[in-house]
Amino acid sequence: MLIPVFVSMPNTLNEQQRLAQQLVLGELGHHGIEARTLGRTDYPTTFPLREVLTLAKHCSGGVILGFSQFQATAGVSKVGTPFRSRIRKGSPVNFPTPWNHLEAGILFSLEVPLLVFRELGITGGVFDNGVTDLFVHPMPKPDAEYQEKKALRAVFQKWTAQVRAHYYGGE
Protein backbone atom coordinates (compact mmCIF):
# COMPACT_ATOMS: atom_id res chain seq x y z
CA MET A 1 0.00 0.00 0.00
CA LEU A 2 1.30 3.42 -0.92
CA ILE A 3 1.42 6.10 1.77
CA PRO A 4 -0.26 9.36 0.67
CA VAL A 5 1.63 12.65 0.90
CA PHE A 6 0.49 16.07 -0.26
CA VAL A 7 2.66 17.63 -2.97
CA SER A 8 2.45 21.41 -3.42
CA MET A 9 3.46 22.43 -6.93
CA PRO A 10 2.16 24.60 -9.73
CA ASN A 11 0.16 23.06 -12.56
CA THR A 12 2.12 24.87 -15.29
CA LEU A 13 5.83 24.13 -15.61
CA ASN A 14 8.54 24.71 -18.19
CA GLU A 15 10.54 21.76 -19.51
CA GLN A 16 13.36 21.94 -16.93
CA GLN A 17 10.85 22.28 -14.11
CA ARG A 18 8.85 19.33 -15.46
CA LEU A 19 11.98 17.17 -15.49
CA ALA A 20 12.79 18.12 -11.89
CA GLN A 21 9.18 17.44 -10.89
CA GLN A 22 9.34 13.99 -12.53
CA LEU A 23 12.57 13.25 -10.66
CA VAL A 24 10.95 14.10 -7.32
CA LEU A 25 7.73 12.20 -8.08
CA GLY A 26 9.78 9.21 -9.24
CA GLU A 27 11.76 9.27 -6.00
CA LEU A 28 8.50 9.33 -4.04
CA GLY A 29 7.28 6.27 -5.93
CA HIS A 30 10.60 4.51 -5.36
CA HIS A 31 10.00 4.89 -1.61
CA GLY A 32 6.40 3.67 -1.68
CA ILE A 33 4.88 7.13 -1.41
CA GLU A 34 1.79 8.27 -3.34
CA ALA A 35 1.85 11.92 -4.44
CA ARG A 36 -1.51 13.63 -3.94
CA THR A 37 -2.09 17.10 -5.29
CA LEU A 38 -5.04 19.31 -6.08
CA GLY A 39 -5.70 19.59 -9.79
CA ARG A 40 -3.68 16.49 -10.73
CA THR A 41 -4.73 13.53 -8.59
CA ASP A 42 -7.63 15.14 -6.74
CA TYR A 43 -10.17 17.65 -8.02
CA PRO A 44 -12.08 20.14 -5.90
CA THR A 45 -15.79 19.85 -5.25
CA THR A 46 -15.83 22.91 -2.98
CA PHE A 47 -13.57 25.94 -2.91
CA PRO A 48 -9.88 25.02 -3.43
CA LEU A 49 -8.49 26.08 -0.06
CA ARG A 50 -11.04 23.89 1.76
CA GLU A 51 -10.09 21.00 -0.56
CA VAL A 52 -6.39 21.46 0.25
CA LEU A 53 -7.18 21.13 3.95
CA THR A 54 -9.40 18.09 3.39
CA LEU A 55 -6.81 16.35 1.24
CA ALA A 56 -3.91 17.27 3.53
CA LYS A 57 -5.72 15.77 6.54
CA HIS A 58 -5.57 12.39 4.77
CA CYS A 59 -1.84 12.62 4.07
CA SER A 60 1.11 11.62 6.25
CA GLY A 61 3.60 14.08 4.83
CA GLY A 62 4.10 16.99 2.50
CA VAL A 63 6.49 18.01 -0.27
CA ILE A 64 6.74 21.65 -1.34
CA LEU A 65 8.18 22.25 -4.81
CA GLY A 66 9.08 25.93 -5.11
CA PHE A 67 9.25 26.49 -8.85
CA SER A 68 9.43 29.99 -10.29
CA GLN A 69 6.01 31.10 -11.57
CA PHE A 70 6.48 34.85 -11.85
CA GLN A 71 9.49 37.02 -12.57
CA ALA A 72 9.77 40.73 -11.81
CA THR A 73 12.36 42.80 -13.64
CA ALA A 74 11.47 46.10 -11.98
CA GLY A 75 9.98 47.11 -8.68
CA VAL A 76 10.53 48.36 -5.17
CA SER A 77 10.10 46.35 -2.00
CA LYS A 78 9.34 47.59 1.51
CA VAL A 79 8.38 51.07 0.31
CA GLY A 80 8.46 53.71 3.04
CA THR A 81 10.72 51.71 5.35
CA PRO A 82 14.45 51.82 6.09
CA PHE A 83 14.68 48.44 4.30
CA ARG A 84 13.42 49.78 0.96
CA SER A 85 15.17 48.23 -2.03
CA ARG A 86 14.87 48.21 -5.81
CA ILE A 87 15.21 45.31 -8.17
CA ARG A 88 18.53 45.84 -9.87
CA LYS A 89 18.61 45.92 -13.66
CA GLY A 90 19.71 42.53 -14.91
CA SER A 91 18.84 40.83 -11.61
CA PRO A 92 15.21 39.76 -11.88
CA VAL A 93 13.39 38.42 -8.84
CA ASN A 94 11.55 35.09 -9.09
CA PHE A 95 8.44 34.15 -7.15
CA PRO A 96 6.80 30.76 -6.56
CA THR A 97 3.07 30.18 -6.69
CA PRO A 98 1.44 31.67 -3.59
CA TRP A 99 -0.23 28.28 -3.11
CA ASN A 100 3.15 26.90 -1.98
CA HIS A 101 2.96 29.14 1.10
CA LEU A 102 -0.71 28.40 1.83
CA GLU A 103 -0.29 24.65 1.43
CA ALA A 104 2.95 24.59 3.44
CA GLY A 105 1.20 26.45 6.27
CA ILE A 106 -1.65 23.95 6.31
CA LEU A 107 0.74 21.00 6.28
CA PHE A 108 2.90 22.57 9.00
CA SER A 109 -0.14 23.10 11.21
CA LEU A 110 -1.13 19.44 10.72
CA GLU A 111 2.36 18.53 12.00
CA VAL A 112 3.21 16.16 9.17
CA PRO A 113 6.82 15.67 8.03
CA LEU A 114 7.67 18.26 5.37
CA LEU A 115 10.25 18.23 2.61
CA VAL A 116 10.87 21.61 0.94
CA PHE A 117 12.68 22.20 -2.36
CA ARG A 118 13.23 25.52 -4.13
CA GLU A 119 14.60 26.59 -7.46
CA LEU A 120 17.58 28.91 -7.48
CA GLY A 121 16.41 32.44 -6.66
CA ILE A 122 13.19 31.45 -4.89
CA THR A 123 13.04 33.03 -1.43
CA GLY A 124 10.48 34.30 1.04
CA GLY A 125 8.05 32.62 3.37
CA VAL A 126 8.52 28.87 3.67
CA PHE A 127 11.55 29.08 1.37
CA ASP A 128 13.58 31.18 3.82
CA ASN A 129 15.97 29.20 5.99
CA GLY A 130 15.05 29.36 9.65
CA VAL A 131 11.35 30.08 9.17
CA THR A 132 10.55 26.52 10.22
CA ASP A 133 12.68 23.77 11.69
CA LEU A 134 13.15 22.46 8.15
CA PHE A 135 16.15 22.58 5.89
CA VAL A 136 15.22 24.06 2.52
CA HIS A 137 16.80 21.96 -0.22
CA PRO A 138 17.82 23.13 -3.68
CA MET A 139 15.60 21.78 -6.43
CA PRO A 140 17.03 18.46 -7.68
CA LYS A 141 18.67 18.57 -11.09
CA PRO A 142 17.62 15.83 -13.53
CA ASP A 143 21.17 15.74 -14.94
CA ALA A 144 22.79 15.60 -11.48
CA GLU A 145 26.04 13.74 -10.92
CA TYR A 146 26.09 10.44 -9.04
CA GLN A 147 27.03 12.02 -5.68
CA GLU A 148 24.19 14.55 -5.92
CA LYS A 149 21.68 11.79 -6.71
CA LYS A 150 23.03 9.73 -3.82
CA ALA A 151 22.59 12.71 -1.47
CA LEU A 152 19.05 13.24 -2.75
CA ARG A 153 18.21 9.59 -2.13
CA ALA A 154 19.49 9.97 1.47
CA VAL A 155 17.26 13.02 2.00
CA PHE A 156 14.25 11.05 0.81
CA GLN A 157 15.15 8.03 2.96
CA LYS A 158 15.30 10.14 6.12
CA TRP A 159 12.07 11.98 5.29
CA THR A 160 10.16 8.81 4.30
CA ALA A 161 11.13 7.23 7.63
CA GLN A 162 9.36 10.14 9.34
CA VAL A 163 6.37 9.79 6.97
CA ARG A 164 6.10 6.06 7.76
CA ALA A 165 6.28 6.76 11.50
CA HIS A 166 3.45 9.29 11.12
CA TYR A 167 1.37 6.94 8.98
CA TYR A 168 1.78 3.81 11.07
CA GLY A 169 2.11 5.46 14.44
CA GLY A 170 -0.65 7.98 14.01
CA GLU A 171 1.64 10.77 15.22
Side-chain angles (χ1 to χ4, degrees), residues 22-42:
Q22 285 180 335
L23 177 66
V24 170
L25 296 180
E27 196 64 33
L28 291 175
H30 175 79
H31 289 279
I33 303 294
E34 177 187 20
R36 305 289 300 270
T37 187
L38 210 58
R40 290 183 190 255
T41 62
D42 295 79

Side-chain angles (χ1 to χ4, degrees), residues 87-145:
I87 294 174
R88 292 177 295 158
K89 188 174 182 174
S91 298
V93 177
N94 295 315
F95 297 91
T97 174
W99 284 93
N100 283 150
H101 300 293
L102 291 167
E103 292 164 346
I106 289 170
L107 293 163
F108 185 81
S109 71
L110 293 172
E111 297 182 353
V112 297
L114 285 175
L115 188 55
V116 179
F117 294 100
R118 67 173 173 201
E119 271 188 320
L120 187 63
I122 295 294
T123 59
V126 71
F127 301 107
D128 284 344
N129 290 322
V131 170
T132 67
D133 59 347
L134 304 170
F135 181 79
V136 180
H137 300 276
M139 190 64 67
K141 298 177 198 150
D143 59 349
E145 298 294 324

